[in-house]
């Protein structure tokens, strides 16, 4: 019996001593941190996406506390609502900021592409880009490696197996730009979304001449310039056989969409309006 | 010179894939001059050459059509006479397209080209009279690049900057360690005298006391004996047989095998006092200096177990790949992969497309038995990739880091030192695409 | 010529014929003579033990990978079969079959799948299973039926006899041990068959010589230094099975030559220390497991020399 008591006492004493050491060390090396930092971090998405230009959410929170105003500090992940909360934590005025979304400027799905590639390789766009492409394969479009999906910290990008292309869930997308950074083809456009204006985007990046582009993909921009002529607001320009839309001038009327002979222009308005998430 | 007693090798690393030298005994055959050539202006490492002809111009055979832009760029010539049809983007074997010139020959052009082949005479009879500058200029003007595949301009390599260490050895690479390829073997068997003359010209360009070692793997006994006979009156040139081991033809491995020196990471061979050239390059140097002929054709191995016309062919540069293969026979139905180069480092191409270039050493048509499409299973950490890596890297780890995009760790594990020889992927029992991931890792590490 | 038929991949375009599955099958093949020895010595019951452990391992691997990790199962690799066979070979022939089953489930479930499956485990699954059984069921795990005795007599293994009853080393007939006439687990007893399997694997270049040699060399040197009988040290207990088949497991052993030497020598030293100074009569399973845990560290310390880099840093 005595042995058992002895063991219990020894263990108890060792335990108490360890706890004491831990307590003292924690006390001694405790770093005082602004309590608001933790509060702000709670509001932030915690994805460390880097869209704010800081190393991570913690750095962003630290900077918010340090600087006197929220000028130049905007977290697309938290959005306007989140920034308002941060502002109220700090007792500062919230700044208005645009909502941004990502769009893939390619619609080269498996069925739209006229020349496919029988590729057997690792799941990486960088690798797919370096490998040979068959004659007539669109070298401008999506390579199907899924680097953007891997890069998305908000699960807004998913892989569409049937299309062999990424799919963006705009409700989840915060426009942080991690996917645009990852895309070796530079296909992903981060565009500001204005209230109640459907974003109209050219879903093609092919800069080949019309005839060649048409043989590569059924929905390629052939640079015909019809959209530029149709647009009454001068928002569309065609350069290098490719149309681009100026988001500053576009009012989202959608005239160009109907006019495009290859259906290379799309509006994402329906999604935006029904979900009503553009209210800034 | 007791060359046969000496079997040397770069160490216990590397692999020994099935040699598959199907065309090793075959003589070099000529491909008839094509009527239409598509010549890429990007024939060397550096900037593309600048076109010096205009659409509609008539050019003669061997005329300069593209001018080098800087020291790592190279001149481009035409292998046929004809009219310049277009200057602009042409199709390339890898499908990415490049700047190029398309030339088409009329019947009269074709006839005069054929006559000019009959009339050809050497320009120089006594090479001893040539000065260093004469040789270097002839090489530079002829647009010669390293024909082992790296396509670095030869003249630039032969004239190292004065600040670099003194060159002691000229190493000539006759290893041809890649499976299937036999083009270097074929030229060494058939044109050993010309190669030795080319080497002698290079030695003259380099300096008086530079020695030359020609390394040939011991699976090419005929090439070794032919080269030895051709070199017997040349005290500065020695022929050395090396134990067959891939990747012995890599410049670092060759230097280790022949002179037992190790080129450090990020250094050029000249840092160890060696300059390395391929045997094909030596042959091109001979033609450029002695005959005054620019680099407009090269010997290529066209092979594959099911391809009936497998052999070594002298192909004018710019010939369309499709035409080339169709002249020889059809692509076998069993072909699942077409490879430009050897099976270890060559690039698979998406079909018969593009045209031949200066760096194209082989065109292989592989069936399912020759090239395996393997399922990837989890790494079992057997350590085989570490064991075979000639550069002393840890491919399994680098590949994993590349998957995770860990840039700093990739750099710490020397991802940029990988020469993509493929030994790790070759020996991986889990069928992992290590080289593919390492290439991704390199791209990540290079990103700013 | 349709483009569809042509496949584009990265280089290299050839691979060696060796796949994980083939290698594992060859290791199993190399184990079969030693296992057959066990069957011959201990009777047909050995077969049912192996069957139970293999079934347990394969089943656990399948269930874990399909339903818990949500991945393709890796049964085709045959690694689970090998682990099951190795586990069976470390068990005494009298072990109750349910215990063998539990051992198999624990070996794969905790020893391998808990770490993430094939290639991710830190410890050799078979040894995890064995040590689990040894600690949880010490009586069943140390009851060794005497060889070739159909009446079910049990006795001690050589090592425990020497340790606990003070049997004199000099009185033991080495020849008897070499042909397996000693108490022990299923796979320990056929020393000659184990050596044959090892030679096969070495000739086929499936395992490298370094690990077994450094284990054996360090044990031999220690035996000489402490004037113990070398033959008994090597032939008794699981020394050969451990050195040839357990320590050389790909996943849990270091990758570089230098690392392999460190790993092997330390296994030898720890085994010797446990045998002579510890409370267990046999220590190789513990030694291998301890060194398995050190393998990532050894790998980190013994990185291969970069080509062109001078020895001892840049």
């Amino acid at each position: 019996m005595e042995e058992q008591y002895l063991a219990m006492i020894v263990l108890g004493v060792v335990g108490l001593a360890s706890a004491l050491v831990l307590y003292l060390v924690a006390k001694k090396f405790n770093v005082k941190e602004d309590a608001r930092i933790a509060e702000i971090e709670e509001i932030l998405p915690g994805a460390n996406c880097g869209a704010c230009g800081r190393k991570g959410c913690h750095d962003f929170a630290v900077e918010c506390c340090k600087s006197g105003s929220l000028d130049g500090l905007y977290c697309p992940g938290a959005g306007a609502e989140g920034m308002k909360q941060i502002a109220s934590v700090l007792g500062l005025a919230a700044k208005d900021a645009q909502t941004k979304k990502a769009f893939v400027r390619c619609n080269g799905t498996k069925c739209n592409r006229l020349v496919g590639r029988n590729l057997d390789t690792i799941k990486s766009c960088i690798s797919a880009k370096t490998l040979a492409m068959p004659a007539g394969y669109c070298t401008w479009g999506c390579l199907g490696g899924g680097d953007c999906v891997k890069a998305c910290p908000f699960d807004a990008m998913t892989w569409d197996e049937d299309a062999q292309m990424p799919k963006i869930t705009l409700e989840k997308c915060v426009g942080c730009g991690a996917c645009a950074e990852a895309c070796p083809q530079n296909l992903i456009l981060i565009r500001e979304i204005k209230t109640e204006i459907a974003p109209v985007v050219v879903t093609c990046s092919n800069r080949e001449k019309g005839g060649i582009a048409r043989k590569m993909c059924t929905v390629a921009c052939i640079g015909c310039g019809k959209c530029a002529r149709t647009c009454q607001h001068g928002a569309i320009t065609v350069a290098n056989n490719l149309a681009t839309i100026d988001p500053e001038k576009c009012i989202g009327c959608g005239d160009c969409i109907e006019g495009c002979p290859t259906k290379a222009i799309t509006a994402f308005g329906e999604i935006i309006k029904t979900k009503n998430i553009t209210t800034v | 010179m007791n060359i046969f007693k000496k079997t040397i090798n770069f160490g216990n690393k590397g692999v020994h894939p099935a040699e598959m030298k199907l065309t090793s005994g075959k003589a070099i055959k000529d491909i008839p001059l094509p009527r239409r050539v598509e010549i890429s202006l990007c024939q060397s490492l550096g900037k593309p050459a600048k076109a010096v002809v205009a659409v509609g111009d008539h050019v003669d055979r061997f005329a300069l059509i593209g001018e080098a832009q800087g020291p790592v760029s190279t001149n481009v010539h035409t292998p046929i006479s004809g009219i310049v049809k277009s200057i602009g983007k042409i199709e390339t074997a890898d499908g990415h397209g490049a700047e190029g010139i398309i030339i088409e020959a009329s019947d009269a052009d074709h006839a005069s080209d054929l006559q000019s082949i009959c009339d050809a005479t050497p320009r120089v009879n006594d090479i001893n009279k040539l000065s260093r500058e004469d040789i270097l200029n002839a090489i530079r003007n002829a647009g010669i690049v390293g024909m082992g595949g790296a396509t670095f301009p030869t003249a630039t390599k032969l004239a190292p900057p004065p600040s670099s260490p003194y060159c002691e050895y000229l190493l000539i690479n006759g290893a041809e360690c890649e499976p299937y390829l036999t083009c270097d073997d074929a030229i060494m068997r058939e044109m050993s005298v010309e190669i030795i003359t080319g080497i002698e010209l290079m030695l003259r360009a380099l300096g008086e006391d530079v020695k030359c070692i020609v390394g040939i793997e011991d699976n090419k006994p005929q090439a070794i004996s032919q080269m030895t006979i051709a070199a017997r009156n040349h005290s500065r040139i020695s022929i050395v047989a090396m134990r067959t081991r891939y990747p012995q033809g890599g410049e670092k491995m060759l230097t280790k095998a022949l002179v037992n020196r190790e080129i450090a990471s990020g250094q050029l061979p000249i840092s160890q006092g060696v300059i390395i050239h391929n045997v094909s390059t030596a042959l091109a140097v001979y033609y450029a200096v002695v005959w005054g002929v620019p680099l407009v054709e090269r010997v290529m191995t066209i092979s594959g177990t099911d391809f009936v016309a497998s052999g070594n062919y002298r192909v004018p540069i710019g010939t369309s790949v499709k035409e080339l293969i169709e002249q020889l026979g059809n692509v076998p139905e069993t072909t699942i992969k077409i490879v430009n180069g050897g099976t270890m480092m060559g690039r698979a191409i998406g079909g018969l497309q593009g045209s031949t270039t200066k760096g194209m050493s082989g065109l292989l048509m592989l069936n399912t038995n020759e090239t395996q499409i393997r399922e990837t299973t989890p790494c079992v950490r057997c350590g085989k990739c570490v064991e075979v890596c000639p550069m002393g890297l840890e491919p399994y780890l680098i590949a994993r880091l590349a998957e995770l995009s860990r840039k700093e760790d990739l750099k710490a594990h020397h991802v940029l030192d990988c020469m993509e020889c493929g030994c790790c992927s070759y020996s991986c029992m889990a069928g992992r695409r290590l080289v593919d991931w390492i290439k991704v890792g390199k791209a990540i590490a290079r990103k700013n | 010529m349709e483009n569809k038929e042509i496949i584009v991949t990265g280089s290299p375009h050839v691979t060696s014929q060796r796949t994980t599955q083939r290698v594992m099958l060859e290791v199993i093949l190399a184990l079969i003579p030693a296992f057959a020895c066990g069957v011959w010595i201990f009777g047909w019951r050995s077969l049912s033990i192996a069957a139970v452990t293999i079934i347990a391992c394969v089943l656990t691997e399948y269930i874990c990978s399909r339903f818990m990790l949500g991945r393709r199962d890796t049964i085709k690799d045959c690694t689970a079969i090998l682990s099951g066979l190795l586990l069976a070979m470390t068990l005494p022939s009298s072990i109750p079959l349910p215990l063998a089953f539990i051992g198999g489930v624990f070996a794969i479930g905790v020893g391998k799948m808990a770490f993430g499956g094939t290639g991710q485990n830190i410890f050799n699954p078979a040894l995890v299973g064995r040590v689990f059984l040894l600690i949880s069921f010490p009586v069943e795990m140390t009851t060794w039926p005497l060889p070739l005795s159909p009446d079910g007599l049990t006795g001690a293994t050589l090592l425990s006899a020497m340790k606990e009853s003070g049997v004199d080393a000099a009185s033991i007939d080495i020849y008897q041990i070499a042909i397996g006439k000693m108490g022990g687990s299923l796979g320990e007893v056929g020393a000659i068959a184990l050596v044959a399997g090892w030679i096969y694997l070495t000739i086929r270049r499936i395992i490298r010589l370094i690990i077994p040699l450094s284990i054996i060399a360090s044990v031999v040197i220690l035996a000489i230094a402490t004037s113990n009988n070398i033959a008994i040290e090597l032939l008794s207990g699981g020394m050969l099975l451990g050195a040839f088949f357990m320590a050389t497991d790909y996943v849990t052993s270091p990758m570089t030559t230098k690392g392999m030497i460190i790993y092997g020598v330390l296994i030898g030293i720890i085994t010797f220390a446990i045998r002579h100074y510890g409370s267990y009569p046999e220590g190789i399973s513990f030694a291998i497991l301890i060194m398995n845990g050190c393998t990532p560290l050894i790998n980190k310390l013994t990185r291969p020399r970069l080509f062109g880099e001078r020895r001892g840093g840049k």
Side-chain angles (χ1 to χ4, degrees):
Chain A
M1 249 349 204
E2 270 176 28
E3 277 176 7
Q4 284 167 15
Y5 286 124
L6 187 70
M8 279 161 76
I9 292 164
V10 169
L11 276 178
V13 169
V14 169
L16 275 177
S18 311
L20 198 70
V21 170
L22 272 178
Y23 172 77
L24 289 175
V25 169
K27 199 87 181 157
K28 187 163 165 57
F29 293 101
N30 185 24
V31 181
K32 265 249 162 94
E33 207 175 38
D34 198 331
R36 294 176 303 173
I37 292 175
E39 226 172 305
I40 294 172
E41 266 188 275
E42 279 295 302
I43 302 163
L44 296 174
N48 297 322
C49 66
C52 53
R54 300 342 181 258
K55 269 182 201 152
C57 294
H58 181 77
D59 277 23
F60 180 76
V62 170
E63 205 144 326
C64 283
C65 290
K66 270 189 196 158
S67 64
S69 75
L70 287 176
D71 281 340
L73 286 164
Y74 180 72
C75 171
E81 203 52 45
M83 286 313 289
K84 260 184 212 163
Q85 285 177 34
I86 292 173
S88 69
V89 168
L90 297 171
L92 296 167
K95 288 269 184 288
D96 270 356
Q98 294 89 356
T99 312
K100 286 180 182 172
K101 300 280 168 195
F103 300 97
V104 183
R105 284 182 290 185
C106 174
N107 196 15
T109 56
K110 217 174 176 183
C111 50
N112 284 342
R113 272 182 191 274
L114 291 167
V115 178
R117 171 150 76 145
N118 200 347
L119 189 67
D120 179 50
T121 185
I122 53 172
K123 200 98 179 106
S124 157
C125 297
I126 298 173
S127 178
K129 192 178 166 77
T130 55
L131 294 175
M133 314 200 180
Y137 180 87
C138 179
T139 52
W140 305 94
C142 177
L143 298 166
D147 279 7
C148 49
V149 177
K150 252 195 274 174
C152 182
F154 296 98
D155 290 337
M157 281 202 146
T158 44
W159 189 250
D160 189 343
E161 271 303 326
D162 297 329
Q164 289 293 304
M165 288 262 304
K167 211 164 122 187
I168 298 175
T169 313
L170 286 177
E171 292 91 321
K172 287 185 186 170
C173 178
V174 301
C176 69
C179 50
E181 182 99 339
C183 181
Q185 296 286 76
N186 208 2
L187 288 180
I188 298 174
L189 170 80
I190 305 294
R191 237 191 82 167
E192 278 171 21
I193 306 292
K194 287 183 214 154
T195 322
E196 297 306 308
I197 295 179
V200 182
V201 179
V202 179
T203 53
C204 180
S205 299
N206 193 316
R207 297 203 179 135
E208 299 289 348
K209 280 183 189 130
I212 302 172
R214 194 80 176 84
K215 280 179 196 151
M216 288 175 167
C217 185
T218 50
V219 290
C221 171
I222 53 173
C224 63
K226 195 176 171 192
C227 47
R229 288 191 295 277
T230 313
C231 186
Q232 292 168 358
H233 310 277
I236 304 182
T237 45
V238 177
N240 295 324
N241 307 314
L242 183 65
T244 38
I245 299 173
D246 185 352
E248 295 294 314
K249 292 177 185 160
C250 178
I251 60 146
C253 63
D255 288 349
C256 50
I257 302 170
E258 277 154 42
C260 182
T262 55
K263 297 188 171 51
I265 305 179
T266 316
F268 292 87
E270 295 309 309
I271 309 160
I272 300 281
K273 270 178 189 163
T274 49
K275 297 290 171 191
N276 199 26
I277 57 160
T278 46
T279 40
V280 177
Chain B
M1 281 202 309
N2 296 324
I3 53 138
F4 286 111
K5 284 178 187 162
K6 226 170 154 189
T7 25
I8 47 176
N9 191 246
F10 61 90
N12 285 326
K13 306 274 185 166
V15 292
H16 189 172
E19 286 169 19
M20 298 296 284
K21 306 269 191 190
L22 308 170
T23 51
S24 65
K26 299 217 169 141
I28 302 171
K29 286 185 207 157
D30 279 283
I31 292 288
L33 280 182
R35 288 302 187 85
R36 175 193 158 94
V37 286
E38 292 185 14
I39 308 164
S40 165
L41 287 168
C42 310
Q43 298 273 12
S44 69
L45 265 181
K47 276 188 204 158
K50 199 175 114 210
V52 291
V53 288
V55 177
D57 284 1
H58 183 270
V59 289
D60 288 330
R61 188 165 185 241
F62 302 153
L64 181 73
I65 53 173
E67 202 170 48
Q69 302 290 305
V72 279
S73 175
T74 188
N75 286 345
V76 180
H77 302 79
T78 165
I80 58 167
S81 309
I83 307 284
V84 177
K85 278 284 163 195
S86 80
I87 299 171
K89 201 169 176 188
I90 60 158
E91 199 180 75
T92 55
D94 65 7
H96 289 272
E99 287 297 301
I101 296 175
I102 300 176
I103 294 168
E104 271 177 29
S106 66
D107 289 347
D109 289 328
H110 198 62
S112 75
D113 281 353
L114 293 178
Q115 190 56 44
S116 78
I117 294 173
C118 307
D119 295 344
T121 46
R123 199 185 60 163
V124 177
N125 290 317
D126 186 3
I127 59 163
N128 292 324
K129 283 182 189 154
L130 292 169
S131 73
R132 179 170 188 266
E133 273 64 41
D134 289 341
I135 297 170
L136 284 179
N137 281 336
I139 294 173
R140 187 172 294 119
N141 292 337
I144 298 177
V145 293
M147 287 164 77
T151 63
F152 189 86
T154 304
T156 312
K157 222 179 187 183
L158 279 174
S163 57
S164 58
Y166 186 72
C167 172
E168 290 171 64
Y169 290 100
L170 169 68
L171 305 182
I172 298 294
N173 182 359
E176 201 160 54
C177 51
E178 280 269 9
Y180 289 89
L181 300 189
T182 55
C183 50
D184 290 352
D185 182 20
I187 62 166
M188 284 192 285
R189 276 188 285 115
E190 295 187 17
M191 292 183 280
S192 52
V193 178
E194 287 88 339
I195 294 171
I196 295 293
T197 315
I199 293 172
E200 214 181 326
L201 288 164
M202 286 188 188
L203 284 173
R204 283 186 67 82
L206 281 171
E208 281 303 307
D209 47 359
V210 179
K211 288 194 199 73
C212 171
I213 305 173
V214 184
I216 306 170
E217 286 194 341
D218 57 10
N219 58 357
K220 292 178 267 293
Q222 256 196 312
I224 296 173
S225 62
Q226 286 297 326
M227 289 291 284
T228 313
I229 293 165
R232 68 183 183 277
N233 290 330
H234 300 267
S235 56
R236 286 162 76 190
I237 304 172
S238 51
I239 315 291
V240 170
M242 306 183 289
R243 188 162 64 88
T244 304
R245 192 86 181 153
Y246 180 85
Q248 196 137 242
E251 58 181 18
K252 291 189 176 187
M253 303 306 124
L254 195 74
T255 312
K256 172 84 178 159
L258 292 178
V259 291
N260 196 21
R261 293 180 189 179
E262 290 195 2
I263 302 160
S265 153
Q267 299 280 319
L268 292 172
I270 191 69
S271 68
Q272 294 294 327
V274 299
I275 285 178
I276 301 158
H277 283 288
N278 196 276
V279 281
S280 307
T281 317
L283 187 65
V285 166
Y286 165 79
Y287 280 119
V289 178
V290 176
W291 293 74
V293 174
L295 181 56
V296 291
E297 57 183 22
R298 68 158 298 148
V299 177
M300 270 173 74
T301 301
I302 300 175
S303 181
T305 28
D306 294 338
F307 186 60
V308 277
S310 289
N312 303 303
Y313 295 94
R314 193 178 284 109
V315 182
I317 286 159
T319 313
S320 133
V321 170
K322 198 176 168 72
E323 249 173 63
L324 176 65
I325 299 296
E326 277 168 2
Q327 271 179 25
L328 300 170
N330 284 321
V331 175
E333 291 207 340
T334 49
T335 301
I336 57 160
K337 216 190 256 182
I338 301 176
V339 176
N340 163 12
T343 45
M344 292 298 281
M345 283 184 78
R347 290 168 62 98
I349 57 177
L352 292 182
Q353 56 190 23
S355 54
T356 55
T357 60
K358 291 177 181 176
M360 201 184 257
S361 49
L363 206 58
L364 311 177
M365 279 151 276
L366 307 175
N367 63 24
T368 35
N369 292 329
E370 295 169 276
T371 177
Q372 300 87 10
I373 304 296
R374 275 184 58 182
E375 195 193 354
T376 303
T377 54
C379 169
V380 291
R381 292 196 267 170
C382 63
K384 200 79 190 163
C385 53
V386 180
E387 195 185 322
V388 298
C389 180
M391 292 306 295
L393 304 173
E394 293 159 289
Y396 76 101
L397 191 60
I398 298 178
R400 185 78 192 117
L401 291 171
E403 267 179 80
L404 301 170
S405 304
R406 297 251 291 263
K407 188 181 162 192
E408 293 309 316
D409 288 339
L410 280 167
K411 276 189 187 163
H413 285 88
H414 310 288
V415 65
L416 295 173
D417 282 312
C418 170
M419 57 180 186
E420 297 167 20
C421 65
C423 290
C424 49
S425 290
Y426 172 82
S427 55
C428 182
M429 61 175 73
R432 296 191 79 75
R433 304 288 182 75
L434 295 165
V435 178
D436 287 355
W437 277 117
I438 291 171
K439 283 180 190 164
V440 171
K442 280 183 166 183
I444 294 167
R446 285 203 187 103
K447 240 189 214 170
N448 44 23
Chain C
M1 178 96 256
E2 279 287 305
N3 274 334
K4 294 260 157 154
E5 295 166 16
I6 301 296
I7 300 169
V8 179
T9 65
S11 62
H13 306 289
V14 283
T15 53
S16 64
Q17 298 300 315
R18 186 163 282 179
T19 61
T20 311
Q21 186 191 20
R22 267 184 71 157
V23 168
M24 293 305 154
L25 284 175
E26 283 192 43
V27 177
I28 291 169
L29 188 71
L31 276 171
I32 281 180
F35 182 65
C37 270
V39 175
W40 176 59
I41 290 167
F42 296 112
W44 295 110
R45 192 163 191 283
S46 326
L47 270 183
S48 56
I49 295 174
V52 165
T53 51
I54 291 173
I55 289 169
C57 286
V58 172
L59 209 66
T60 315
E61 170 133 349
Y62 181 78
I63 291 169
C64 287
S65 53
R66 280 308 270 274
F67 301 111
M68 291 162 83
L69 294 174
R71 273 195 224 141
R72 263 184 323 167
D73 57 86
T74 40
I75 302 222
K76 259 204 286 180
D77 285 352
C78 300
T79 45
I81 298 176
L82 178 61
S83 295
L85 185 61
L86 275 174
L87 174 64
M89 290 179 77
T90 61
L91 300 177
S93 62
S94 62
I95 190 162
L97 293 182
L99 282 193
F101 189 84
I102 292 171
V105 170
F106 192 86
I108 295 294
V110 176
K112 183 167 154 191
M113 301 318 283
F115 291 97
T118 307
Q120 305 292 317
N121 48 312
I122 298 172
F123 302 105
N124 187 328
L127 284 179
V128 169
R130 177 196 145 81
V131 167
F132 166 73
L133 288 178
L134 181 64
I135 294 171
S136 315
F137 308 99
V139 178
E140 288 86 346
M141 284 296 286
T142 48
T143 310
W144 309 99
L146 286 178
L148 304 174
S149 60
D151 45 355
L153 275 175
T154 57
T157 64
L158 197 59
L159 285 170
S160 54
M162 281 169 67
K163 191 158 202 162
E164 285 149 19
S165 334
V167 174
D168 187 14
S171 70
I172 295 161
D173 188 352
I174 304 295
Y175 172 74
Q176 294 285 319
I177 302 173
I179 60 163
K181 293 200 170 169
M182 59 170 182
S185 71
L186 291 179
E188 293 176 353
V189 289
I192 295 166
L194 283 171
V195 172
W198 172 53
I199 291 173
Y200 171 76
L201 289 186
T202 311
I203 289 173
R204 295 281 297 134
R205 286 171 173 250
I206 286 171
I207 58 171
R208 290 173 72 188
L209 271 173
I210 306 161
I211 293 176
L213 281 192
S214 47
I215 295 175
I216 290 169
S218 60
V219 168
V220 166
I221 289 167
L222 284 172
I224 292 170
T226 56
S227 53
N228 275 298
N229 189 324
I230 299 166
I232 291 176
E233 282 302 328
L234 292 185
L235 295 176
S236 64
M239 177 50 89
L240 293 183
L241 181 66
F244 296 159
F245 295 99
M246 303 279 200
T248 53
D249 171 37
Y250 284 145
V251 182
T252 54
S253 64
M255 298 205 183
T256 56
T257 311
K258 231 194 291 173
M260 286 176 178
I261 295 172
I262 298 174
Y263 173 82
V265 168
L266 284 174
I267 287 179
I269 294 173
I270 297 172
T271 308
F272 193 84
I274 294 177
R275 278 184 177 184
H276 291 273
Y277 310 108
S279 58
Y280 278 96
E282 173 56 313
I284 188 138
S285 3
F286 291 107
I288 293 174
L289 283 178
I290 290 169
M291 290 317 292
N292 282 166
C294 298
T295 296
L297 213 68
I298 296 175
N299 272 339
K300 213 165 194 174
L301 284 175
T302 58
R303 278 171 55 183
R305 185 181 67 96
L306 184 67
F307 187 88
E309 197 179 69
R310 278 203 215 107
R311 271 160 226 281
K314 276 188 183 173

